[in-house]
Structure formats: structure tokens, C-alpha cells
Amino acid sequence: MTITSPHLGSPAVWTDAKLLYALEEVVETELNRHLKVAKDWMPHEYVPWSDARNFPGLFEDGESWDKEQSKVTEIGRIALVVNLLTEDNLPSYHHEIASLFGRDGAWGTWVHRWTAEEGRHGIVMRDYLLASRAVDPDKLEAFRMAHMSEGFESDNRHSMLHSVAYVAFQELATRISHRNTGHQSGDPVCDRMLARIATDENLHMVFYRNLLKAAFQLAPDLTMQAVRDVVVNFRMPGHGMPGFERFAAQMAIGEVYNLRIHHDDVLQPVLRHLKVMDIDGLGPEGQQAQDELGLFMGGLDSEASKFDEKLAARKARMAARAAG
């Protein structure tokens, strides 16, 4: 197997180029597995076109948007917009991973396939939002322009290994965010659409998680440091959009995505699957990174518990107010 080739050198001299070459066979294996299990689907089949009506503009019968026209809940509307705007930055994401992973061989084939699948997510979400009149189309477009005009630069663009570690967690985070948005949307059509998207995101997570597993076998100390850095400094890719902090707070309260979900449903499953905290034989830097990762996860769990208490108290106050 490529990752055991002796001419690649010791972990002390790993470069991005050597790591890319060493992991090529793993990427090809995972790509072939992905193509076998991934199912093509048609975005237009998930959109309630019969609900659509003309908006003002070129059409004389255009009807202005009003939030009462949609059955989507307020938290569902907020989360849908955040998730869509995140998908809208796909050109920047493609540029980032194409620059890191390259456009040739199995790496390049994966980059383009991933981009095509992610593009489908943005298509179906926007069509759903407009056809179902879930959002103000003018504000959505203004939002898109503002967000995309800023571009996107990954926190992990300096390192291929950090980028692989990041997307292993981020793809799962995206899957969870989509699924919870669907559950909170109040619209079964929206729920089914986001479930379909979440299935893709889960397959993307498995691809990168398996790649990360191979990286641990290849360069355990460097990979442990990359995972430590990514987990400690994790941010969702949409963090740069206007008003993201406010939206994130609303999504946390609405139980779409918050500290408890991040700890229990995103970080822990990947770390547990890879048995990251059980890896032994690490060098001094790898061991330090593992220890720091363990301490961080313990602290995050404590912070999540505090958030849980505040959320429970808020729910109790709202229930009492409704009963009174």
C-alpha cells in the first residue's frame, strides 16, 4: 500500500506534497466506494412547484412576499438562510480544496465530484425557498451578494492535513445542521429535502473520516496535532456572513446547532470512531496534542452542560408565561 512506501521518508520530513502522494491510493479507494453507494437524485423532485407564484418585477401579476405565505417556522427560516448562504460560497470552497488537493488523479476527481454534489444542495434549497415563499427573495439575494462578495478563506488553508481533519468534522456538522433544520422547519416537504441533502453530507463525512484514519496510520503525531488544532479552533464555514453571530445564537436556542449538539453529535462521534484518545506510541508533540485535546473536550462538555441548564431554564420561563 502506498502509505508504507519507504522512499516517502519519516514523519519528521512530511510535506503536503508527500502526504498527498502517500494518500493517493486511499483517496482512490474511498472515491470508488463513494461512487458505488452515492445515489443521484433530481433537485426539482424535492421542490413544491405547485405552491410557486410570480414575484413583482417583469410579471404584472407578481405578488409581494409576506412571511404568512409560508408554513416554515421562524427558526426554520433563519437556519435555512444560513445553510443556503453557506452552500452559496461553493466557488470559494472549490478553489480552496482544488488548490490544496490538486486537480489531477483521484484527488482531482474527488474535488470535482464533491463540488458537483454540493452544488446540487444549493440548487434545491434556493428553489424550495422561492417556490414555497419561505423567505423574502430580495433580502435573500442581497444577503447572497454581500456574503459572496467577501469571499472565503479557510482557517486551515495552510495545511492539507489540517484541511482533511477540518472537513471530517465539518461535513458531519453540516449534516446535523440540515437534519435539525428540517425537523424544526414545520414543513414535511422541507424536512424530506434536507434529509436528502444530509444523506450526501454524511457520505462526504465518511470519505474524509476514512482519509483521516489513514493519515493517523501514516503520520500519527502530525495528524494528532492537526486534529487538536481543528477541534480547538473549529468554526463553521459560514462564520463570515453578515449577522452570523446573531443567527448562530438563534439556532442554538432553537436546538438546530449548539454546544451540546457540537460536542455530542459532531466531535465525539468522529473522535470515538477513530479512537483518537486511545492512540498510543506517540512522540512528545503528538502526546501533548492528545492530552490537550482531551482537556479541551472535557471543558467543552462542561460549557455545553451550562448551556443546557440555561436553555432548560429559558424553556421553563416560556412555559410558565404561556400557562399564565
Side-chain angles (χ1 to χ4, degrees):
M1 190 175 184
T2 303
I3 63 174
T4 61
S5 299
H7 69 277
L8 291 172
S10 68
V13 294
W14 284 120
T15 63
D16 271 7
K18 288 183 176 180
L19 285 166
L20 284 166
Y21 179 82
L23 290 169
E24 179 86 24
E25 277 188 23
V26 182
V27 172
E28 183 175 3
T29 298
E30 289 303 312
L31 172 62
N32 290 334
R33 181 197 56 75
H34 177 84
L35 293 176
K36 287 180 181 179
V37 298
K39 295 181 179 180
D40 276 335
W41 52 279
M42 301 297 113
H44 56 268
E45 295 179 355
Y46 288 81
V47 178
W49 298 107
S50 60
D51 292 345
R53 303 187 293 285
N54 290 336
F55 288 104
L58 294 177
F59 303 99
E60 293 183 3
D61 62 343
E63 183 180 350
S64 297
W65 179 82
D66 187 282
K67 68 167 54 178
E68 299 303 321
Q69 296 166 348
S70 170
K71 64 186 71 172
V72 172
T73 62
E74 184 63 22
I75 186 58
R77 182 177 295 109
I78 291 168
L80 279 163
V81 170
V82 169
N83 291 347
L84 175 57
L85 290 181
T86 299
E87 300 283 359
D88 276 336
N89 252 341
L90 183 61
S92 289
Y93 306 150
H94 175 85
H95 174 75
E96 291 272 343
I97 65 172
S99 298
L100 282 166
F101 299 156
R103 297 171 180 266
D104 301 319
W107 281 105
T109 302
W110 167 253
V111 166
H112 297 311
R113 173 72 189 201
W114 175 88
T115 302
E117 292 184 4
E118 291 289 345
R120 190 153 52 191
H121 301 167
I123 290 170
V124 71
M125 290 178 68
R126 175 167 280 100
D127 285 348
Y128 166 82
L129 288 173
L130 296 180
S132 68
R133 290 187 166 243
V135 297
D136 183 330
D138 294 339
K139 288 185 178 179
L140 181 65
E141 177 59 12
F143 233 164
R144 187 191 69 85
M145 286 296 295
H147 184 40
M148 289 193 68
S149 295
E150 290 296 318
F152 173 82
E153 288 189 346
S154 169
D155 295 332
N156 303 287
R157 61 189 180 279
H158 63 286
S159 161
M160 184 276 289
L161 199 53
H162 280 71
S163 295
V164 169
Y166 175 74
V167 289
F169 294 104
Q170 182 268 319
E171 292 285 4
L172 181 53
T174 304
R175 170 205 165 194
I176 296 297
S177 181
H178 282 312
R179 284 305 287 125
N180 288 343
T181 298
H183 294 330
Q184 302 285 359
S185 69
D187 181 7
V189 175
C190 180
D191 196 21
R192 287 195 295 271
M193 173 194 67
L194 292 177
R196 178 58 261 184
I197 293 175
T199 298
D200 283 359
E201 302 291 11
N202 194 62
L203 291 178
H204 298 164
M205 179 276 292
V206 171
F207 178 95
Y208 287 117
R209 187 188 65 189
N210 291 350
L211 196 56
L212 189 59
K213 180 179 180 180
F216 266 116
Q217 297 170 351
L218 177 69
D221 289 285
L222 288 178
T223 306
M224 186 66 74
Q225 293 173 70
V227 169
R228 183 267 321 273
D229 294 344
V230 164
V231 169
V232 169
N233 299 299
F234 185 89
R235 295 195 294 177
M236 290 294 271
H239 63 81
M241 71 179 61
F244 179 78
E245 290 78 9
R246 184 177 72 258
F247 297 143
Q250 292 169 312
M251 290 169 68
I253 293 171
E255 298 183 87
V256 172
Y257 200 94
N258 55 40
L259 281 179
R260 176 53 63 199
I261 293 170
H262 183 59
H263 178 276
D264 290 1
D265 299 337
V266 177
L267 298 182
Q268 282 285 30
V270 175
L271 295 175
R272 191 182 305 117
H273 180 87
L274 297 176
K275 300 180 180 178
V276 171
M277 302 312 299
D278 298 327
I279 295 175
D280 55 17
L282 296 166
E285 291 184 342
Q287 185 62 61
Q288 180 180 348
Q290 188 182 50
D291 293 343
E292 291 175 354
L293 179 61
L295 288 171
F296 176 83
M297 290 299 293
L300 184 63
D301 188 35
S302 297
E303 289 298 313
S305 294
K306 294 177 183 177
F307 174 82
D308 291 341
E309 293 173 1
K310 292 180 180 178
L311 185 59
R314 183 180 186 275
K315 288 181 177 179
R317 289 195 302 271
M318 292 181 66
R321 193 175 303 140

